[in-house]
Amino acid sequence: MMAGVLGITDIWTYVLGTVAIVLLPGPNSLFVLSTAAQRGVAAGYRAAGGVFVGDGVLMFLSAAGVASLVQAYPPLFLVIKYAGAAYLGYVGLTMLRGAWRRWRTRNDPDTPRLIDAARPAAMRSPFRKALVISLLNPKAILFFVSFFIQFVDPGYAWPALSFLLLGLIAQVTSVLYLTALIFTGTFLAAQFRRRHRLAAGATTGVAALFLGFSLKLATATA
């Protein structure tokens, strides 16, 4: 069986666990959704690309043992943790400013009525922003290594192949989920074009979630 050959101990448990984990709301998926709602399908996929690359880097670092180093060296964990919290807070604040602009122009029929996920200048590179959001998440690094390690046979001669297959499964699951979010975002955009106040309220809610993610990360422990 392929799973056994590649040193994976229980692939179906891993698949079910991965699906459950990917479906949990987080800053990555929320950013992809809001980007698609503001700028359309193409921009949504650019943001999703940043998530895929960021997750891939974290998976590689976990397989290479970097996560264990972060966990064993508290000052390094603190630097990454507070940098990530600050960046998520910055994203949340830019969304709040966008919501305020939407609210002020709610009666202007000439103003586009999309979710204003961030200032236009900040949204010129959704790939880069999503990549930074993904990478500045030390808890994700620690999670990847603690989750992956359960399904890799320690006696297998080529553990890199095991991690590669596990990572591929996680990425395919993420692709399917983020694709659904992207098209959901474009549907929401059509609704917000006709409902300016709803767009401002939705942006405020998303901003509050990002600020909550920021606070949660800042208070997290290794």
Side-chain angles (χ1 to χ4, degrees):
M1 187 171 64
M2 180 180 292
V5 170
L6 293 179
I8 299 175
T9 57
D10 193 344
I11 192 169
W12 293 114
T13 299
Y14 172 78
V15 169
L16 292 175
T18 298
V19 170
I21 292 160
V22 169
L23 291 178
L24 290 175
N28 293 346
S29 57
L30 192 60
F31 180 74
V32 171
L33 175 64
S34 60
T35 299
Q38 183 197 17
R39 299 187 57 190
V41 172
Y45 273 111
R46 287 198 295 273
V51 173
F52 302 148
V53 173
D55 285 350
V57 171
L58 294 182
M59 292 175 192
F60 173 79
L61 294 177
S62 297
V66 174
S68 299
L69 175 63
V70 172
Q71 192 172 25
Y73 189 62
L76 180 59
F77 176 83
L78 290 176
V79 170
I80 300 175
K81 179 178 76 169
Y82 289 125
Y87 193 76
L88 291 178
Y90 161 76
V91 173
L93 290 176
T94 58
M95 288 181 177
L96 281 179
R97 286 196 291 269
W100 174 242
R101 288 198 302 274
R102 288 285 179 233
W103 181 257
R104 287 189 305 170
T105 59
R106 64 188 182 279
N107 297 319
D108 183 358
D110 297 326
T111 302
R113 298 179 180 182
L114 304 179
I115 292 180
D116 190 0
R119 295 175 297 177
M123 290 299 295
R124 289 173 185 166
S125 182
F127 175 89
R128 182 174 57 197
K129 183 176 286 290
L131 177 62
V132 174
I133 290 174
S134 296
L135 292 177
L136 289 178
N137 191 348
K139 298 301 290 185
I141 301 176
L142 301 179
F143 170 79
F144 275 128
V145 74
S146 64
F147 187 64
F148 280 12
I149 199 68
Q150 299 178 44
F151 301 93
V152 177
D153 182 356
Y156 186 58
W158 298 283
L161 293 178
S162 304
F163 282 107
L164 180 63
L165 179 57
L166 294 175
L168 180 62
I169 293 171
Q171 292 287 47
V172 169
T173 304
S174 182
V175 167
L176 295 175
Y177 177 56
L178 292 182
T179 294
L181 289 183
I182 288 168
F183 285 97
T184 298
T186 56
F187 170 78
L188 292 175
Q191 306 304 311
F192 293 141
R193 288 189 187 100
R194 299 189 295 269
R195 299 174 176 86
H196 214 175
R197 294 183 180 180
L198 181 60
T203 305
T204 301
V206 172
L209 288 174
F210 266 92
L211 292 174
F213 290 137
S214 174
L215 180 62
K216 182 178 180 180
L217 180 57
T219 56
T221 57

